[in-house]
Amino acid sequence: MTEQRVAVITGSTKGIGKAIARRLAHDDCDIVLNYRSDDESAQAALRDLEGLPGKAVAVKADVSVSDEASRLIDAAVRSFGRLDILVNNVGPFLTRPLVQTSDEEWRSILDSNLSSAFYCARAALRIMRKARTGSIINIGALNVEHSPVGVFEAPAYYVAKSGLIMLTRSLARSEGPFNIRVNAVNPGFIETEAYDHYHDEHKAAWAKMIPLGRLGTPEEVAEAVAFLASERARYVTGAVLHVHGGLWV
């Protein structure tokens, strides 16, 4: 009988992270949800996983802090005895031109989007290397490998997400000999709770830019993550999978 896989997903009580957790639970993974402060959303996310094949726990930890990230990984191993999948999903967005970005905002965005992935991956690799297996999937961003005009409006965010792609490729090289695969998913316009404050006309304008004619769903990003985490992708590492409806084709 195949052993149950264990997946840690950072920032996984809302939006894309929550959809990823649910999709991996459908694939018989035990799930470690992660959140920073919203206890109510964490409990709702746990309830959402009830009845699915995998078991689930929620761990409150600010993964932009090294010790907290290590505590999250330790909690996963303590809860389920192993770690097979790490999804570095957490990462808030900041729309602010560079000259208006404060030191605190710059550090916060880089720590949340990039340092968090470094801290979690470093802690996870100590477990995965011993087991000589594992999959790490980093959630990037729409504009990382292109240069549309919108990038200048959020430089801290896109610098961090660009670094995340370089981290993905670096780890894919260094961890391949340990049978650990490291990939990334770059979502496009994905309609999550964060999009609720945008007017319908803004969403309609974005949809017109997209060859498939609509915004994406968190579940569609989750499907890409599930593929990369699975044995179906056992020869895929160092890849960046774009889930944007053909926006930059």
Side-chain angles (χ1 to χ4, degrees):
M1 182 177 178
T2 303
E3 288 189 85
Q4 195 95 348
R5 295 181 302 160
V6 175
V8 172
I9 307 101
T10 67
S12 48
T13 59
K14 296 179 182 178
I16 291 173
K18 183 178 179 180
I20 292 169
R22 185 171 178 82
R23 181 63 182 81
L24 292 178
H26 271 292
D27 280 354
D28 294 330
C29 291
D30 289 331
I31 301 297
V32 180
L33 298 172
N34 162 249
Y35 67 107
R36 186 175 67 176
S37 59
D38 190 342
D39 296 322
E40 185 176 338
S41 291
Q43 292 306 309
L46 281 174
R47 289 192 296 272
D48 190 54
L49 295 175
E50 290 177 358
L52 296 178
K55 300 183 288 294
V57 298
V59 179
K60 188 175 185 176
D62 181 355
V63 292
S64 69
V65 178
S66 178
D67 289 347
E68 292 283 285
S70 294
R71 185 170 63 80
L72 169 64
I73 300 303
D74 290 344
V77 176
R78 189 165 57 250
S79 296
F80 297 116
R82 57 187 291 159
L83 175 63
D84 301 275
I85 301 162
L86 168 65
V87 183
N88 286 310
N89 166 73
V90 72
F93 187 75
L94 175 69
T95 302
R96 188 92 76 242
L98 188 70
V99 295
Q100 297 174 12
T101 302
S102 69
D103 292 355
E104 292 74 17
E105 288 170 332
W106 178 264
R107 284 193 295 266
S108 176
I109 291 299
L110 263 66
D111 284 346
S112 297
N113 286 279
L114 180 55
S115 297
S116 63
F118 160 61
Y119 297 143
C120 288
R122 183 176 60 183
L125 286 171
R126 293 166 183 155
I127 308 302
M128 293 178 174
R129 279 187 166 201
K130 289 180 181 178
R132 299 194 70 83
T133 187
S135 176
I136 297 174
I137 299 150
N138 297 319
I139 306 300
L142 172 68
N143 295 337
V144 164
E145 296 188 302
H146 300 271
S147 299
V149 293
V151 170
F152 78 89
E153 298 173 339
Y157 178 78
Y158 287 115
V159 165
K161 290 299 190 183
S162 296
L164 190 61
I165 298 305
M166 294 310 299
L167 179 66
T168 299
R169 291 170 173 155
S170 175
L171 290 178
R173 293 285 296 186
S174 66
E175 305 311 311
F178 297 92
N179 195 36
I180 298 167
R181 299 181 298 105
V182 187
N183 295 288
V185 172
N186 279 352
F189 290 112
I190 307 299
E191 196 159 12
T192 65
E193 299 94 333
Y195 278 58
D196 290 345
H197 68 280
Y198 289 109
H199 296 300
D200 288 342
E201 54 265 31
H202 290 143
K203 298 177 186 178
W206 295 331
K208 288 181 180 178
M209 298 164 55
I210 300 167
L212 290 183
R214 63 176 177 83
L215 275 61
T217 68
E219 290 73 22
E220 287 167 325
V221 179
E223 287 291 342
V225 172
F227 166 70
L228 290 173
S230 74
E231 279 297 298
R232 302 188 304 277
R234 60 185 175 271
Y235 200 56
V236 180
T237 194
V240 181
L241 179 54
H242 299 277
V243 184
H244 54 38
L247 184 59
W248 303 134
V249 172

